[in-house]
Amino acid sequence: MRAERPRRVATKRIRVNPREPEREAIEEAAKVIRSGGLVAFPTETVYGLGADALNPDAVSRVFEAKGRPPDNPLIVHVADPEGVYLLASEVPPVAERLIREFWPGPLTLVLRRTELVPTVTSAGLDTVAVRMPDHPVPLELIRAAGTPIAAPSANRSGSPSPTTADHVMRDLEGLIEIVLDGGTTEIGVESTVLDVTVEPPEVLRPGGLPVEEVERVIGRVKVPEWARGLGHAPSRPRSPGMKYRHYAPRAKMVLVEGRPEAVRSKVEELVEEYCSRGLRVGVLATDGKRYEGAITLDLGSSSDLREVARSLFYSIRALDEMGVDVIIAEGVEERGLGLAIMNRLRKASGGEIVRA
Ligand code: AMP
Ligand code: MG
């Protein structure tokens, strides 16, 4: 972790129309990017914290503002598929097929990098992570700035990712120049990160694009245990984010996994136990369930995981703000977006997992 304190700046919040962002707002933000400053913006996944990906000083400021360990590389965002050839020295045929099928969209590809990519951006790795977001604000910002934009999620390192401009302000006000406020993000979890430098390609982080969709196009990919949020990454992790407790609320968090009926009674039992110890309890539930004695937030229907993904980080932050001591989360089935949701819940709980 860096010793120096991040410099303080006034953060300007600018409201933008997410479908047709205003020219002046984009120009103002692009000027900040070009001069090495930091701009947070909505994407279709979560809010990103952007800097000129080719300017090492600007990228260093992203690490400082987030308090992000320098060995955790950033995703570089491009405004059109051809942008990848500037950053990647090799784009294998599987990558080209995925780009054709899923860009713009929530799929990040890890590729061998060119010399153009600064060491800080890729955290010293010989690879670079690239994606083209499906959102007019970052697309126009990248075009106006005339440079690819490195952007991790716009939260303090370790916190839940931001899905609104309020979340960004709470974490980063005073540390970044501009927040473009384009409302709530659509998908709610980060992109799927796929390493296509290995055969078969390997999922480093499940995310907004279900693995089943990827496999429909290129056949089987590998999903290691640790990418599901279980156990530890290998000793030389290629997705160093795996090493840390992540997406975590201030409150202690417990995840309950198992068959739906069993989960329900286990959660009831835990709520009773924590309440009897005088603790304030919050529950992240699905399908409109209520738990007596706890503040219950409904994430949505377990048969439409898009809804659950969209409300996940928002609800974790909301329970924190209500000052609960413990958050108990119901697990969901690990298919489709469920893989990304379970990865986030397992990492947010820091391994406090109860089998129902
Ligand atoms: P975030 O900071 O939330 O946007 O997450 C970015 C994710 O992409 C983290 O899990 C990073 O570790 C991963 N990532 C970025 N660049 C690379 C890379 N070159 N190789 C492997 N993983 C990467
Ligand atoms: Mg992040």
Side-chain angles (χ1 to χ4, degrees):
M1 204 80 70
R2 288 171 176 267
E4 70 238 57
R5 297 192 30 185
R7 76 187 81 150
R8 305 292 303 185
V9 293
T11 301
K12 185 170 175 187
R13 178 173 180 156
I14 307 175
R15 184 80 221 171
V16 288
N17 178 342
R19 270 175 287 277
E20 274 181 70
E22 293 76 2
R23 209 55 249 160
E24 318 81 76
I26 294 294
E27 276 308 326
E28 185 174 346
K31 206 186 284 173
V32 167
I33 294 286
R34 280 196 300 267
S35 59
L38 306 184
V39 176
F41 49 79
T43 76
E44 81 278 33
T45 58
V46 300
Y47 272 74
L49 174 57
D52 179 350
L54 307 183
N55 175 344
D57 294 332
V59 172
S60 295
R61 276 195 62 204
V62 172
F63 284 89
E64 280 164 31
K66 281 186 58 100
R68 184 179 178 104
D71 64 352
N72 191 3
L74 308 183
I75 294 171
V76 181
H77 294 69
V78 294
D80 65 273
E82 280 66 52
V84 74
Y85 296 97
L86 195 72
L87 305 163
S89 59
E90 227 177 287
V91 183
V94 280
E96 283 182 329
R97 264 152 57 208
L98 291 168
I99 288 170
R100 233 176 290 133
E101 189 77 17
F102 297 117
W103 281 14
L107 175 66
T108 296
L109 298 174
V110 171
L111 299 151
R112 303 232 160 273
R113 70 175 174 88
T114 60
E115 292 295 307
L116 200 65
V117 181
T119 311
V120 267
T121 306
S122 57
L125 299 174
D126 53 9
T127 53
V128 62
V130 189
R131 95 169 180 107
M132 177 181 175
D134 187 14
H135 195 295
V137 171
L139 292 178
E140 297 206 8
L141 182 61
I142 295 162
R143 288 179 191 130
T147 181
I149 293 183
S153 50
N155 51 282
R156 289 281 300 170
S157 188
S159 304
S161 297
T163 57
T164 68
D166 274 344
H167 296 162
V168 178
M169 288 299 270
R170 227 156 286 150
D171 277 24
L172 299 174
E173 182 168 19
L175 299 171
I176 67 181
E177 277 79 8
I178 291 180
V179 181
L180 295 174
D181 177 358
T184 305
T185 56
E186 176 64 26
I187 294 177
V189 292
E190 305 84 344
S191 61
T192 299
V193 179
L194 185 72
D195 185 347
V196 288
T197 67
V198 291
E199 183 41 49
E202 192 171 327
V203 174
L204 302 182
R205 176 180 74 186
L209 183 71
V211 168
E212 294 88 338
E213 289 282 294
V214 172
E215 291 188 325
R216 184 171 58 71
V217 175
I218 60 166
R220 280 231 57 81
V221 299
K222 188 171 168 199
V223 184
E225 282 280 288
W226 53 266
R228 294 169 54 213
L230 297 166
H232 291 283
S235 53
R236 204 192 67 83
R238 273 170 293 138
S239 199
M242 300 310 301
K243 284 193 299 194
Y244 317 101
R245 185 177 180 219
H246 226 107
Y247 318 114
R250 282 190 296 271
K252 167 191 170 73
M253 185 160 151
V254 181
L255 171 63
V256 182
E257 297 187 22
R259 297 173 51 79
E261 317 78 62
V263 166
R264 186 192 186 123
S265 43
K266 192 63 179 179
V267 173
E268 273 167 1
E269 193 183 300
L270 288 171
V271 169
E272 207 176 298
E273 187 187 320
Y274 285 120
C275 285
S276 74
R277 282 156 52 187
L279 298 174
R280 277 169 66 83
V281 185
V283 178
L284 297 173
T286 55
D287 303 318
K289 287 189 222 76
R290 291 276 149 227
Y291 291 97
E292 206 177 323
I295 302 173
T296 313
L297 296 187
D298 183 27
L299 296 177
S301 159
S302 58
S303 56
D304 182 5
L305 292 177
R306 281 174 307 182
E307 213 183 324
V308 176
R310 193 177 303 136
S311 55
L312 182 66
F313 287 131
Y314 191 97
S315 303
I316 292 177
R317 280 181 180 259
L319 285 177
D320 248 352
E321 255 153 58
M322 290 181 228
V324 302
D325 303 299
V326 191
I327 297 174
I328 304 170
E330 291 181 357
V332 299
E333 217 186 311
E334 262 180 298
R335 61 183 164 74
L337 284 173
L339 196 66
I341 293 164
M342 288 303 281
N343 163 288
R344 305 304 183 276
L345 287 173
R346 285 171 180 150
K347 297 178 78 54
S349 69
E352 285 270 349
I353 298 170
V354 176
R355 295 244 23 125

